[in-house]
Amino acid sequence: MSTEDTTTARTRRTPGWLAATISIVFGLFYAYSAWAGLGNLLGLSNAAGMLDTSLNGFGWGLLLAGVLGPVIVFGLAFWLGRRREAGPQALTLLAGLCLVSALSLDIFVFGLGSLIV
């Protein structure tokens, strides 16, 4: 056995259609999380307006992070898993989705009371 046999070992890559399917399925979950973040942003902004107050800077930043976070994390997870096999690609997107979900739950813990002036 020569050294050429070990160095030319080819890695298996995910077919394009399967990688696209995995990305689209997980992308729908990320899009749902971003949509929920947008709903929180608009809903809490309206709720603060009805109370004759406004959101403070921390509140705006936290709610904008709830909208932009899923988009950024999906882009990063997609970029990290783009040249991997189907299993690791799906696990990378799943780990990113778990991160987004944990951050969304943290936003709910703060609540309206700490976001308004």
Side-chain angles (χ1 to χ4, degrees):
M1 181 159 103
S2 68
T3 58
E4 293 177 41
D5 294 336
T6 58
T7 58
T8 59
R10 295 172 52 131
T11 59
R12 295 183 325 181
R13 291 190 57 191
T14 304
W17 66 270
L18 183 58
T21 302
I22 291 171
S23 297
I24 288 170
V25 167
F26 277 99
L28 291 173
F29 289 113
Y30 281 96
Y32 178 78
S33 184
W35 186 258
L38 183 62
N40 289 335
L41 176 70
L42 296 175
L44 289 176
S45 175
N46 286 339
M50 288 181 187
L51 294 172
D52 291 331
T53 186
S54 64
L55 295 173
N56 60 20
F58 176 72
W60 280 108
L62 192 64
L63 292 173
L64 284 174
V67 175
L68 297 177
V71 176
I72 293 169
V73 172
F74 175 74
L76 182 64
F78 178 78
W79 182 73
L80 288 173
R82 73 188 186 282
R83 295 190 181 181
R84 304 198 190 279
E85 294 179 13
Q89 180 186 15
L91 287 176
T92 303
L93 289 166
L94 181 64
L97 189 60
C98 290
L99 174 67
V100 166
S101 298
L103 292 176
S104 296
L105 285 174
D106 285 343
I107 290 172
F108 289 132
V109 168
F110 282 108
L112 180 62
S114 65
L115 301 179
I116 59 176
V117 175

